[in-house]
Amino acid sequence: MTSTEWITDIALLLVVFRQLREGRLDLKTFLIPLGIVAFVAHSYLDTIPTAGNDLVLIGTLMGVGAALGIAGGVYTRIRTAGEHILIKAGAVSAILWVAGMGARMGFQLWTEHAGGAHQVARFSIAHHITSDQAWVAAFVLMALTEVVTRLATIFIRSRVQPTPHTAPALTHRA
């Protein structure tokens, strides 16, 4: 893995850790992760192979990304405080995010450094996956789908049912 790959993977992991602390839902909440995956897509997504079962692989991993993203968005707490909408990633949301991002990092490390390349090549031949670019496209689009569906779920939930939060009344003794 290159330095750029490490930095972008770690940056995506840090996005959810930043949300473990409750914070305001604002434009940065959407732009930072979208900017990171847009950079990754621009850097690594040269083509989307369509031969053999490439689209099946890509569609399957995009489906996994969508499931992880929606579940992560559902398990993010959303509430209102005054005029602000606040979000906080719960433990389940963080675990799902790390699982998705970590699985991609693990797969890449396994194929590059732990002898997994031969097994992936055999799997690819047996299942008519035509090139390593199909795997790259599948994992990049999985990440993109996970980020977009998580953010879309949070956005929709913030517009539909933000839970009001009322602070306990303060009593003053005279």
Side-chain angles (χ1 to χ4, degrees), residues 27-45:
L27 197 55
K28 285 189 305 185
T29 306
F30 298 98
L31 292 181
I32 291 171
L34 287 173
I36 294 169
V37 294
F39 170 77
V40 170
H42 176 74
S43 299
Y44 299 102
L45 196 59

Side-chain angles (χ1 to χ4, degrees), residues 1 3 33 35 52 57 65 74 89 91 95 118 124 148 153 156 158 160 162 165 168 170-172:
M1 289 178 63
S3 298
L57 173 68
V74 166
I95 289 167
H118 297 301
S124 296
V148 169
T153 302
I156 291 166
S158 73
V160 175
H165 175 74
L170 297 175
T171 56
H172 296 286

Side-chain angles (χ1 to χ4, degrees), residues 68 97 99-109 139-140 142-143 146:
L68 289 169
W97 186 263
M101 297 300 160
R104 284 185 289 280
M105 282 177 67
F107 182 83
Q108 187 170 4
L109 288 170
F139 278 111
V140 168
M142 177 185 173
E146 183 176 357

Side-chain angles (χ1 to χ4, degrees), residues 18-124:
R18 186 178 141 255
Q19 292 177 359
L20 287 173
R21 215 183 48 186
E22 187 173 57
R24 219 157 142 196
L25 181 64
D26 58 14
L27 197 55
K28 285 189 305 185
T29 306
F30 298 98
L31 292 181
I32 291 171
L34 287 173
I36 294 169
V37 294
F39 170 77
V40 170
H42 176 74
S43 299
Y44 299 102
L45 196 59
D46 298 325
T47 61
I48 298 177
T50 59
N53 284 329
D54 293 353
L55 288 178
V56 173
L57 173 68
I58 292 166
T60 299
L61 289 185
M62 286 179 70
V64 170
L68 289 169
I70 291 168
V74 166
Y75 285 101
T76 298
R77 186 178 80 175
I78 300 172
R79 68 179 185 92
T80 57
E83 295 186 19
H84 302 291
I85 297 174
L86 304 174
I87 65 169
K88 180 179 180 183
V92 172
S93 181
I95 289 167
L96 292 171
W97 186 263
V98 170
M101 297 300 160
R104 284 185 289 280
M105 282 177 67
F107 182 83
Q108 187 170 4
L109 288 170
W110 176 63
T111 57
E112 289 180 2
H113 304 293
H118 297 301
Q119 293 174 351
V120 171
R122 282 195 299 273
F123 179 90
S124 296

